[in-house]
């Protein structure tokens, strides 16, 4: 930013590049909408009113708001690379995301963070990042890397790094684990915001967590939980993703007294939701439809996250801020009709403009190190009752149910009649193929198996099926693709979605990924799956930092107790 040029243009002494006229300007500072013109020079807003301009654009009385900001997102969950993600969400009016590259960091370590930072260059939006704080999330799973404070330190001063990402290891904070304390001290020393992740945490444990300086949470699923955290000074990120949608539950606490400390995030959104519903714009529309003032909804998606992360040059329409703008007609049904990034039009009526170039791809190393044909999925019976994971529709949390074991020839097996399906998580990094075994209910599979290399947070291979042969075929299909999703039946791959970028992302356009995703979901439903997106739910059954019961390559994890427990009770 050339401040002298910007200041001179603001004084009106040199022509501006662009003047948007006849606009209804959304002021997120005052909450007012004013008629006027917006002057832009070198990608930055310089002033309002009549300026001499190289180009004038009459917006014909439409509203102009700041570009939307997603306060917490895992780009990897879109299953597209950074370029394709940006080309998908920019037409929705998103001009800034704060992404946590936690997923790829668990696979590739520092090289994964570097890949994301380099991929963020020359995109039609600002891709900012929060440094992953928990790689691995716990010691109860095998990850592809381990990042300590010293590993994160070289990234802290990067201009795209604005925070330390969600501190999932809340026991480590509460009980002052040395490495966790070192990461928090690193963030404080660099004056970086520290994001939280504390599902269900309350009382003195929450006091200890917030006392460490952790400033936000996006895991609230109940209004009383969010209010308790707000009253302790935390900011609440209201999540509307694919698997976890919390706006309905948290909407009652959005008020004149609280909205200033609340913001929107998508966390994890699959391609079909991005294309069918949108991005931050979809969250804003839903909130407005529920009765929230449109200006408040916009402010929660612009200035609130900008202020929270200390982003001084975005989030508002004001001199010195980036000319990241969304033009729309109806405040009651906000849909981006034009999107500007750095003063240049990048999208119109939901489509990226043809002149927006796609940056060259960044190389990424392979990440599959196992022989799927050497795996043994048998479970010898060691008791009459077992712990079973209860999958819950549209949630990342699970429940633990105690059920009678179904036995055949001394082995614990799936019981389709009871909707008890065998599942496994296989280490894909060390070459030793450690395998955790368990059972899940709530998926609904009647035959075959499904598998995925997207298994939060370490992204080992997770599979669920009615037989050991089905599990092996599904795991083998994922390995042979170099990562991805697969549905199999009788040893035949019914449908697949290749994810060659770290086993997490495709390099194909998001429309292609959606078609492939539709194919594997349809195949899973043909096998009996009852969830709207069984693969998203499957991917979170391995996440050992969100209650209650999860499965990793090291075994069943009781998240409440934060320890590995036996399958047999």
């Amino acid at each position: 930013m050339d401040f002298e040029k910007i200041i001179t243009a603001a004084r009106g002494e040199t022509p501006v590049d662009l003047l948007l006229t006849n606009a209804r300007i959304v002021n997120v500072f005052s909450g007012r909408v004013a008629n006027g013109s917006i002057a832009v020079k070198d990608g930055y807003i310089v002033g309002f009113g009549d300026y001499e301009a190289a180009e004038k654009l009459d917006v014909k009385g439409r509203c102009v708001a700041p570009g939307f900001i997603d306060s917490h997102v895992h780009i990897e969950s879109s299953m597209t690379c950074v370029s394709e993600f940006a080309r998908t969400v920019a037409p929705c009016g998103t001009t800034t995301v704060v992404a946590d590259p936690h997923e790829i960091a668990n696979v590739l370590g520092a090289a994964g963070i570097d890949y994301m930072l380099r991929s963020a260059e020359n995109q039609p939006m600002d891709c900012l990042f929060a440094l992953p704080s928990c790689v691995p999330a716990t010691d109860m799973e095998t990850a592809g890397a381990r990042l300590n404070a010293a590993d994160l330190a070289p990234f802290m001063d990067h201009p795209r790094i604005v925070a330390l990402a969600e501190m999932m290891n809340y026991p480590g904070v509460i009980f002052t684990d040395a490495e966790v304390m070192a990461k928090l001290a690193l963030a404080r020393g660099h004056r970086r915001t520290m994001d939280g992740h504390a599902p269900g945490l309350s009382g003195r444990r929450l006091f200890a967590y917030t006392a460490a300086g952790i400033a936000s949470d996006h895991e609230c699923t109940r209004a009383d939980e969010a209010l308790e955290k707000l009253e302790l000074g935390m900011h609440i990120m209201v999540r509307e993703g694919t698997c976890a949608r919390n706006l309905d539950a948290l909407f009652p606490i959005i008020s004149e007294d609280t909205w200033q400390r609340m913001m929107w995030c998508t966390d994890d959104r699959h391609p079909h939701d991005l294309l069918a519903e949108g991005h931050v714009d979809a969250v804003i529309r839903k909130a407005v439809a529920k009765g929230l003032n449109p200006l408040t909804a916009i402010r929660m998606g612009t200035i609130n996250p900008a202020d929270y992360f200390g982003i001084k040059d975005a989030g508002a329409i004001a001199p010195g801020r980036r000319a990241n703008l969304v033009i729309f007609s109806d405040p009651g049904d906000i849909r981006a009709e034009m999107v500007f990034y750095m003063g240049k039009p990048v999208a119109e009526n939901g489509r990226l403009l043809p002149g927006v170039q796609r940056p060259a791809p960044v190389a990424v190393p392979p990440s599959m190190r196992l022989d799927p044909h050497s795996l043994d999925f048998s479970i010898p019976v060691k008791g009459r009752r077992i712990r079973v994971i209860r999958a819950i529709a549209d949630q990342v949390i699970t429940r633990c149910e105690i059920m009678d074991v179904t036995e055949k020839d001394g082995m614990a097996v799936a019981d389709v009649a009871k909707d008890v399906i065998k599942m496994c998580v296989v280490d894909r990094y060390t070459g030793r193929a450690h395998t955790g075994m368990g059972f899940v209910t709530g998926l609904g599979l009647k035959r075959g198996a499904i598998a995925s290399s997207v298994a939060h947070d370490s992204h080992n291979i997770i599979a669920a099926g009615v037989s050991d042969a089905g599990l092996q075929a599904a795991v083998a299909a994922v390995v042979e693709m170099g990562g991805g999703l697969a549905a199999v039946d009788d040893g035949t791959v019914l449908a697949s979605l290749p994810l060659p970028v770290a086993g997490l992302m495709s390099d194909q356009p998001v429309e292609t990924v959606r078609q492939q995703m539709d194919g594997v979901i349809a195949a899973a439903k043909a096998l009996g799956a009852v969830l709207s997106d069984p693969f998203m739910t499957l991917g979170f059954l391995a996440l050992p930092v969100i209650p209650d019961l999860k499965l990793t390559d090291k075994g069943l994890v009781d998240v409440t107790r934060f320890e590995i427990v036996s399958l047999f009770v």
Side-chain angles (χ1 to χ4, degrees):
M1 181 178 181
D2 187 330
F3 283 100
E4 290 188 7
K5 287 179 66 177
I6 296 299
I7 293 169
T8 301
R11 291 199 307 262
E13 295 182 8
T14 58
V16 299
D17 300 326
L18 174 66
L19 188 69
L20 298 177
T21 65
N22 194 20
R24 298 180 64 208
I25 305 167
V26 176
N27 191 307
V28 295
F29 299 118
S30 67
R32 298 175 62 228
V33 178
N35 296 325
S37 300
I38 304 169
V40 177
K41 178 71 175 180
D42 288 352
Y44 290 85
I45 296 162
V46 297
F48 304 99
D50 191 20
Y51 278 78
E52 181 183 351
E55 179 185 357
K56 292 186 178 182
L57 177 65
D58 184 354
V59 300
K60 300 178 181 178
R62 291 179 290 178
C63 296
V64 183
F68 304 138
I69 301 174
D70 190 338
S71 61
H72 176 75
V73 62
H74 300 284
I75 292 175
E76 302 96 317
S77 290
S78 71
M79 297 187 177
T80 59
C81 60
V82 175
S83 289
E84 293 301 333
F85 174 81
R87 297 170 78 83
T88 302
V89 303
C92 299
T94 302
T95 56
T96 305
V97 298
V98 178
D100 174 6
H102 174 87
E103 320 303 341
I104 196 168
N106 267 283
V107 177
L108 299 174
I113 300 174
D114 183 65
Y115 166 83
M116 297 297 277
L117 287 168
R118 289 189 292 133
S119 297
E121 298 294 329
N122 302 312
Q123 300 293 350
M125 60 178 292
D126 288 321
C127 294
L128 307 178
F129 294 92
L131 278 180
S133 65
C134 300
V135 176
T138 74
D139 290 326
M140 292 180 288
E141 58 184 336
T142 301
R146 179 175 293 275
L147 297 178
N148 57 33
D151 298 315
L152 298 178
F155 294 103
M156 269 293 174
D157 288 325
H158 193 288
R160 292 188 184 274
I161 301 297
V162 297
L164 182 70
E166 52 179 321
M167 178 51 74
M168 293 180 285
N169 186 1
Y170 51 83
V173 177
I174 295 166
F175 297 106
T176 62
D177 174 84
E179 183 54 41
V180 170
M181 291 297 105
K183 291 174 181 176
L184 297 178
L186 176 68
R188 286 192 211 97
H190 288 265
R191 303 178 69 86
R192 294 291 186 263
T193 300
M194 295 182 287
D195 285 347
H197 169 115
L201 209 60
S202 181
R204 290 186 175 180
R205 295 204 304 166
L206 181 59
F207 300 162
Y209 190 71
T210 55
I214 293 171
S216 68
D217 190 35
H218 63 275
E219 292 290 341
C220 295
T221 59
R222 305 186 322 275
D224 62 325
E225 176 188 6
L227 188 59
E228 180 183 7
K229 290 170 179 174
L230 276 170
E231 290 180 338
L232 294 179
M234 297 185 84
H235 297 253
I236 300 300
M237 298 173 178
V238 181
R239 172 176 55 190
E240 278 287 301
T242 289
C243 194
R245 298 175 182 258
N246 307 126
L247 175 56
D248 288 340
L250 303 186
F251 188 77
I253 66 163
I254 303 175
S255 70
E256 286 299 315
D257 298 318
T258 62
W259 70 262
Q260 295 92 336
R261 299 182 73 81
M262 302 180 75
M263 62 199 90
W264 312 123
C265 80
T266 62
D267 198 3
D268 299 282
R269 272 211 166 198
H270 267 188
H272 54 282
D273 283 336
L274 288 172
L275 290 172
E277 299 178 9
H279 192 226
V280 179
D281 62 320
V283 189
I284 291 174
R285 282 194 299 275
K286 181 174 178 178
V288 172
K290 290 179 69 67
L292 190 64
N293 184 315
L295 287 175
T296 301
I298 291 170
R299 293 158 100 179
M300 289 174 64
T302 55
I303 192 62
N304 284 14
D307 283 349
Y308 171 74
F309 287 109
I311 302 169
K312 303 297 185 183
D313 61 352
I317 300 176
R321 304 258 178 169
R322 293 176 181 238
N324 298 346
L325 307 169
V326 181
I327 297 175
F328 58 92
S329 295
D330 183 2
D333 184 33
I334 297 172
R335 297 180 187 274
E337 295 165 11
M338 290 191 73
V339 181
F340 286 77
Y341 171 66
M342 292 297 291
K344 302 290 186 183
V346 295
E348 190 167 351
N349 295 322
R351 292 189 177 277
L352 205 71
L353 294 176
V356 178
Q357 298 297 312
R358 188 184 193 276
V362 177
V364 62
S367 59
M368 290 287 169
R369 302 179 186 91
L370 78 155
D371 175 8
H373 302 292
S374 66
L375 301 174
D376 179 7
F377 298 114
S378 62
I379 304 176
V381 172
K382 298 180 180 179
R384 305 315 309 165
R385 292 173 69 75
I386 56 175
R387 292 179 171 90
V388 177
I389 298 171
R390 162 67 69 178
I392 301 173
D394 298 327
Q395 294 295 337
V396 295
I397 60 174
T398 65
R399 295 284 180 257
C400 175
E401 295 195 5
I402 306 301
M403 305 178 74
D404 292 332
V405 67
T406 298
E407 179 182 349
K408 183 178 180 180
D409 299 329
M411 299 293 172
V413 296
D415 190 330
V416 172
K418 296 180 181 178
D419 185 26
V420 177
I421 306 304
K422 185 180 279 190
M423 63 179 295
C424 65
V425 177
V426 184
D427 155 33
R428 66 158 154 142
Y429 301 112
T430 67
R432 295 189 290 270
H434 295 140
T435 304
M437 299 300 304
F439 291 90
V440 60
T441 185
L443 290 182
L445 288 180
K446 303 297 183 186
R447 64 181 197 276
I450 59 175
S452 172
S453 57
V454 180
H456 301 275
D457 271 328
S458 290
H459 300 292
N460 288 300
I461 299 177
I462 188 167
V466 303
S467 69
D468 293 0
L471 289 174
Q472 186 168 68
V475 171
V478 169
V479 173
E480 288 165 9
M481 290 187 288
L485 280 57
V488 305
D489 191 22
D490 287 334
T492 300
V493 177
L494 303 180
S496 63
L497 165 55
L499 300 174
V501 181
L504 300 173
M505 294 177 281
S506 171
D507 55 3
Q508 297 299 304
V510 69
E511 292 83 2
T512 300
V513 177
R514 179 184 62 178
Q515 291 171 2
Q516 293 172 327
M517 188 74 203
D518 287 344
V520 292
I521 290 175
K525 290 183 177 180
L527 297 174
V530 295
L531 301 175
S532 59
D533 187 344
F535 286 94
M536 178 67 91
T537 299
L538 183 71
F540 280 103
L541 296 183
L543 181 55
V545 294
I546 294 183
D548 282 335
L549 187 66
K550 299 296 173 74
L551 180 68
T552 76
D553 66 298
K554 295 185 178 181
L556 282 173
V557 177
D558 183 325
V559 181
T560 304
R561 291 157 55 185
F562 226 64
E563 65 183 24
I564 293 175
V565 295
S566 171
L567 170 64
F568 293 92
V569 180

